[in-house]
Amino acid sequence: MRGRQTIVLLACLAGVFSVPINRSLGQVSVIEHNENNDQIYHNLNKKKNINNDDYNHVQSLRTMRNTSPIDSEIMSPQTVDMTNRTHFASNNTQIAEACLKRFAAHLRSYINERYFDFACFEKGIDKLENELTHVSTFVMHMKPRDRVILKRLISESQKLVEMQQSSELLKKCNFLGLVDHELVSRMVELNVRLILLKTMDDKLDRLVKNYSRRLFDAWRDMCLYEERFERLVNVLAFTTADFRFQLDQAIVTIEDLWSQVPEGEYNVNDY
């Protein structure tokens, strides 16, 4: 089932906070062997005629970083073990942040201010899941582990799952094509569009242009959809449940984001 890979990955990420990642004895021995990185490179220079597989591996990874547009910033877990952890700790954090920002931008590229392009999203879901897997693997093997980045990774993973579920519901509603299903579709799209107003920390993104106006428009649209849905008669129970679920989700999200708009920045009368 599509989305299963992402859900499993999300569950693994959630467990990272309580379940440590165990290393094999071979990995531990490599770390202990490389505690003094400068001494290793000194010994390598003295033994130029000896084929050192570890040294060649590190050199090839450096070449990869300079040539690969995607993998250049996501080094394998073995690379983290093969290098000095103190020296690369800050670099690993920067790499993880850059890759996570790239994934977040890619995810949001399917959302427009007024609609969710779920058809294109369906075509690109495999690439998104693979990208998330690469980023997650790198982040979970970082030493020391960065809890802020982990939380952001979980948040973006949840957004991907939400968009996958929304895409499936939109396909069903579009197939049925009734008025009540159209209103469910609009509520679904509204909730997805709200992702554009969130940071990776699920806070209000004040860098978004006219964010307060867009947030107010979302609330107004939500109220309009609710009013129109209440006027319908003979609506099936599962359709009503779908609409109510999306409505409740929108209310909670909008109220939370609206509470973060600075006082005096907006005037309801202007809208």
Side-chain angles (χ1 to χ4, degrees), residues 58-73:
V58 173
Q59 290 294 85
S60 64
L61 284 168
R62 288 176 177 172
T63 302
M64 179 190 70
R65 291 184 61 187
N66 294 328
T67 57
S68 174
I70 297 178
D71 294 335
S72 62
E73 292 183 349

Side-chain angles (χ1 to χ4, degrees), residues 204-222:
L204 177 63
D205 190 350
R206 298 182 185 179
L207 296 179
V208 176
K209 186 178 180 180
N210 298 324
Y211 64 84
S212 58
R213 173 60 184 266
R214 290 170 63 171
L215 195 55
F216 181 86
D217 288 344
W219 179 269
R220 183 177 57 188
D221 290 344
M222 181 195 71

Side-chain angles (χ1 to χ4, degrees), residues 28-153:
V28 173
S29 63
V30 170
I31 295 174
E32 294 174 349
H33 177 68
N34 289 293
E35 285 296 329
N36 192 333
N37 207 35
D38 293 335
Q39 184 61 40
I40 289 175
Y41 284 123
H42 176 70
N43 293 336
L44 286 170
N45 289 332
K46 293 174 62 179
K47 301 177 180 179
K48 295 181 180 179
N49 296 327
I50 298 178
N51 181 18
N52 190 310
D53 293 335
D54 290 351
Y55 177 77
N56 292 334
H57 178 64
V58 173
Q59 290 294 85
S60 64
L61 284 168
R62 288 176 177 172
T63 302
M64 179 190 70
R65 291 184 61 187
N66 294 328
T67 57
S68 174
I70 297 178
D71 294 335
S72 62
E73 292 183 349
I74 305 180
M75 296 185 294
S76 67
Q78 288 80 4
T79 309
V80 178
D81 292 340
M82 297 287 294
T83 53
N84 187 288
R85 289 172 291 172
T86 303
H87 178 72
F88 281 96
S90 60
N91 286 342
N92 287 341
T93 299
Q94 293 175 3
I95 291 171
E97 288 178 346
C99 293
L100 191 54
K101 286 180 180 179
R102 181 182 302 167
F103 172 78
H106 184 190
L107 188 65
R108 288 161 176 75
S109 67
Y110 297 99
I111 310 174
N112 187 276
E113 185 176 347
R114 296 304 304 172
Y115 66 91
F116 168 40
D117 193 349
F118 70 93
C120 288
F121 173 77
E122 283 284 319
K123 296 178 181 178
I125 186 62
D126 290 337
K127 185 175 180 180
L128 279 167
E129 288 182 336
N130 289 335
E131 187 176 349
L132 178 62
T133 299
H134 289 315
V135 176
S136 301
T137 301
F138 179 76
V139 170
M140 287 190 292
H141 283 84
M142 286 176 58
K143 295 296 180 182
R145 186 169 295 145
D146 192 313
R147 297 180 67 85
V148 173
I149 292 180
L150 275 171
K151 289 181 179 179
R152 290 175 179 174
L153 179 60

